[in-house]
Amino acid sequence: MLGLFVGLDEDTLLAYKQQALAELGLAVTSYSDSGTSVNKAWGIPPKERLQELNYALSKLDSKKYGGSHTSIQKNWTYRVDL
């Protein structure tokens, strides 16, 4: 899904990233009592939100926040000739 936050300004992205980091330890909770229920859930889980924010920051300034890297690895251990 990468690209959700692309286009936002740097200050907003950094504020969102700080918020996501603060929420990494939180748990989703559910509570009900006498017909009343309260649920808490994230729109995007913190882990995925951090990935999105880091991607957007790298698109904004790849020198400062790092660019994307492509890596291809080959393992010939299980090669089968047909």
Side-chain angles (χ1 to χ4, degrees):
M1 171 192 292
L2 293 177
L4 185 65
F5 296 111
V6 172
L8 296 177
D9 63 275
E10 183 176 11
D11 290 337
T12 301
L13 291 171
L14 291 173
Y16 285 174
K17 184 174 179 180
Q18 188 63 35
Q19 181 184 12
L21 286 169
E23 292 177 352
L24 278 176
L26 294 178
V28 175
T29 59
S30 178
Y31 171 80
S32 69
D33 182 26
S34 301
T36 303
S37 64
V38 178
N39 297 312
K40 179 181 178 185
W42 293 296
I44 303 174
K47 182 180 175 184
E48 285 79 14
R49 193 170 355 148
L50 281 172
Q51 288 175 329
E52 289 287 342
L53 291 163
N54 286 334
Y55 178 79
L57 285 166
S58 73
K59 290 292 185 187
L60 186 66
D61 187 345
S62 62
K63 290 185 187 222
K64 188 173 184 180
Y65 297 106
S68 57
H69 304 283
T70 302
S71 174
I72 298 173
Q73 298 177 1
K74 293 186 180 189
N75 183 348
W76 297 100
T77 305
Y78 302 105
R79 183 175 163 209
V80 176
D81 290 325
L82 300 175

